Amino acid sequence: MGAEAKDWPEPISTCWNYWIAISTGDQAGIMKVLDLSASRPVTFAEAQEVLDADGHGEPGDRHHLSRVFVTPEIDGWTLVIGAWCDPCDSERREDVLRSCKALSARYGRAQAYYYGAQGDGSAWLVAEHGHVVRRYAATGEPDDEMLALGDPLPLERSRLLELGVPDHGDLRTANSEQIEEWTWAAFELAPEIAATYSVSPFTLTRESRVRGTGVLALTPDPSAGPWHE
């Protein structure tokens, strides 16, 4: 991308979406904390193409874990986007948890999200000042319940109350209809939580305040194999 070109922000969305949001514009510092390397500048449009291609690779191909898009500063936040940021995957979730705690200890707030745009569910992880505030997964997997940490966020509480479920989120007091309604609501909740508590990749526009240049970066995941274009 030439120095004279203007890279207008645009929504980043694929069938399966994973990202970490950090409340800072310190792109280089974030990459150091996450041990990201081998970066090259890309536009939002180019990043969209790369992420979409990575998400539709061959079954068993782990190359989609080998690279991420690190955005420029957007309205005071930086997003790291790619499957490597998955907060609920059995192989990635504990590393993502540790990364968000480390990033939030340094920058105040760090959040990780998953959203399956084809009805495949949501997950969110919110950390502040080195501590996990909330982690929750609604993906239809058997171990979703085991991932829950912390108390429901205010947005979760409001949705629970709308369904007549106690806002502490303990579904043992709910009936089967309420549980089913909450499950369907939670499946779609990650984008709204992200837009409420940080910056959502789905709602980027030309009006978003941007500083810097986005980059593709190599992750330290050794099982993903070599980075490829």
Side-chain angles (χ1 to χ4, degrees):
M1 180 174 61
E4 73 284 354
K6 176 62 176 179
D7 180 25
W8 295 107
E10 59 183 65
I12 301 290
S13 177
T14 66
C15 292
W16 301 277
N17 303 272
Y18 320 83
W19 71 97
I20 297 174
I22 310 100
S23 58
T24 181
D26 183 12
Q27 186 185 72
I30 291 170
M31 292 178 65
K32 184 175 181 180
V33 171
L34 295 179
D35 196 22
L36 302 175
S37 59
S39 64
R40 66 176 179 86
V42 292
T43 65
F44 284 90
E46 289 169 337
Q48 167 73 43
E49 292 180 2
V50 168
L51 294 168
D52 194 48
D54 285 352
H56 291 87
E58 295 296 326
D61 181 359
R62 293 179 59 82
H63 282 307
H64 65 296
L65 296 175
S66 69
R67 56 187 179 180
V68 292
F69 173 47
V70 186
T71 71
E73 180 180 348
I74 307 170
D75 293 333
W77 292 75
T78 300
L79 307 183
V80 181
I81 308 175
W84 186 75
C85 304
D86 191 345
C88 58
D89 175 75
S90 60
E91 296 184 27
R92 289 293 307 142
R93 60 195 182 205
E94 294 309 313
D95 283 340
V96 172
L97 181 71
R98 285 190 289 269
S99 293
C100 285
K101 290 171 67 176
L103 288 165
S104 71
R106 180 167 180 173
Y107 298 113
R109 291 179 289 173
Q111 304 167 10
Y113 294 93
Y114 161 70
Y115 177 63
Q118 306 297 319
D120 296 314
S122 289
W124 50 92
L125 164 63
V126 176
E128 295 182 357
H129 306 293
H131 303 282
V132 175
V133 174
R134 178 62 163 164
R135 183 174 71 177
Y136 192 84
T139 66
E141 294 298 324
D143 60 350
D144 277 354
E145 186 175 346
M146 298 175 58
L147 267 67
L149 296 172
D151 296 324
L153 300 170
L155 183 58
E156 290 179 71
R157 293 180 183 274
S158 68
R159 294 294 182 273
L160 289 163
L161 288 173
E162 288 171 5
L163 299 174
V165 181
D167 66 356
H168 51 61
D170 188 348
L171 298 180
R172 290 176 296 181
T173 61
N175 59 44
S176 58
E177 182 178 351
Q178 290 171 324
I179 293 173
E180 183 177 4
E181 289 180 347
W182 165 248
T183 299
W184 283 111
F187 257 53
E188 300 294 325
L189 207 51
E192 187 175 356
I193 289 177
T196 301
Y197 299 111
S198 58
V199 168
S200 169
F202 306 125
T203 59
L204 304 180
T205 70
R206 289 193 173 201
E207 283 67 49
S208 301
R209 292 178 291 109
V210 175
R211 183 173 63 87
T213 302
V215 298
L216 277 182
L218 175 67
T219 74
D221 192 327
S223 66
W227 193 32
H228 64 296
E229 295 296 334

